[in-house]
């Protein structure tokens, strides 16, 4: 991977080329199928629940008393909160397993084996570290969002690469921790958080399409999106490591 910063069009072109190579598109679609369907089921369930609450509360009352409806919704949805959290964790574990395989594809042109990829984190090497990493990211981002939206977004962008940093660190050292992965991601994204936000905005149409279709077609969209992100991570990481070496600094990610 070049040590020069790739532009967004170059990252997207690389992802499209990788998708067209061999059976990559088919393999990735199959790999993302299960987490995508679980995510879709959760979204549809939430939509139906909200629709039922609106009808129960009364459409006219929702319009005239939105604060009252918010309180009613919060009270009614308490029981489903834990289920939603567990569902989010399961989907993350399945999807991140595939994302690890996507990074291997970008780096080593390794073919993605769908079943092996989707279950990739469910072993002693990755399982507990990945769960603890998800927990830290989930609650720390919530803390940031509880103060202001912008700090929460900045935290999320700073830790966006944490799972891939965790993968690289754990492959080099079995004792590499989730906390170290968060720190490594933050260091990697230092100076790049606005850049990453720009990449997200350049692909906002895809994200809107995923949400508009209740994530039913994420299995067809995610292969491209995650290849773009994997190329972004690999390129920015190579660039940052080269800069640190030139300055005589230790590399921590």
């Amino acid at each position: 991977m070049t040590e020069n910063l790739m532009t967004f069009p170059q990252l997207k072109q690389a992802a499209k080329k990788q998708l067209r190579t061999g059976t990559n598109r088919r393999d990735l679609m199959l790999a993302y199928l299960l987490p995508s369907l679980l995510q879709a089921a959760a979204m549809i369930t939430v939509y139906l629940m909200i629709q039922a609450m609106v009808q129960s509360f009364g459409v006219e009352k929702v319009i005239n008393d939105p604060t009252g409806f918010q309180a009613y919704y919060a009270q009614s949805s308490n029981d489903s909160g834990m289920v939603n959290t567990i569902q989010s964790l399961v989907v993350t574990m399945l999807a991140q397993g595939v994302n690890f395989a996507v990074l291997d594809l970008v780096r080593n042109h390794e073919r993605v084996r769908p079943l092996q990829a989707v279950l990739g984190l469910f072993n002693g090497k990755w399982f507990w570290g990945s769960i603890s990493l998800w927990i830290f990211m989930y609650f720390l981002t919530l803390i940031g969002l509880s103060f202001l939206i912008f700090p929460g977004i900045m935290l999320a962008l700073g830790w966006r690469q944490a799972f891939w940093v965790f993968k690289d660190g754990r492959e080099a050292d079995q004792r590499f921790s989730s906390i170290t992965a968060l720190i490594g991601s933050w260091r990697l994204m230092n100076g790049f958080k606005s850049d990453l936000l720009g990449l997200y905005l350049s692909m906002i149409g895809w994200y809107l399409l995923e949400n508009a279709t209740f994530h039913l077609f994420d299995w067809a969209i995610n292969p491209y999106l995650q290849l773009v992100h994997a190329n972004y991570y690999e390129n920015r990481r190579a660039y940052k490591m080269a800069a640190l070496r030139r300055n005589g600094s230790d590399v921590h990610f």
Side-chain angles (χ1 to χ4, degrees), residues 19-37:
L19 269 183
R20 292 193 295 263
T21 301
T23 60
N24 287 344
R25 185 188 299 272
R26 182 200 66 189
D27 294 339
L28 286 171
M29 284 182 175
L30 289 173
Y32 280 114
L33 183 60
L34 179 58
S36 297
L37 292 180

Side-chain angles (χ1 to χ4, degrees), residues 44-174:
I44 292 172
T45 300
V46 170
Y47 171 78
L48 293 175
M49 182 181 71
I50 293 174
Q51 186 180 51
M53 287 183 183
V54 169
Q55 292 176 348
S56 176
F57 191 76
V59 177
E60 188 173 337
K61 287 180 66 179
V62 171
I63 297 173
N64 296 328
D65 185 17
T67 303
F69 176 71
Q70 289 177 3
Y72 174 74
Y73 174 81
Q75 182 180 4
S76 302
S77 61
N78 280 339
D79 294 338
S80 62
M82 181 59 68
V83 174
N84 292 336
T85 300
I86 294 173
Q87 174 271 331
S88 176
L89 174 59
V90 171
V91 170
T92 298
M93 293 288 286
L94 294 172
Q96 288 296 339
V98 184
N99 293 346
F100 280 16
V102 169
L103 186 58
D104 289 332
L105 186 157
V106 168
R107 286 177 171 169
N108 309 315
H109 309 289
E110 292 183 12
R111 179 182 173 184
V112 174
R113 303 182 184 281
L115 183 59
Q116 181 179 336
V118 77
L119 298 177
L121 299 191
F122 292 85
N123 57 60
K125 181 177 182 179
W126 304 111
F127 186 75
W128 293 112
S130 297
I131 287 181
S132 65
L133 180 56
W134 178 87
I135 291 172
F136 282 127
M137 293 173 66
Y138 180 83
F139 284 105
L140 289 174
T141 302
L142 280 181
I143 291 172
L145 289 171
S146 68
F147 290 101
L148 287 171
I149 295 296
F150 186 74
I153 292 174
M154 288 296 104
L155 286 174
L157 291 170
W159 293 328
R160 175 61 177 82
Q161 317 299 344
F163 272 98
W164 278 326
V165 172
F166 177 70
K167 168 181 165 60
D168 285 334
R170 184 57 66 90
E171 287 180 342
D173 180 3
Q174 185 63 27

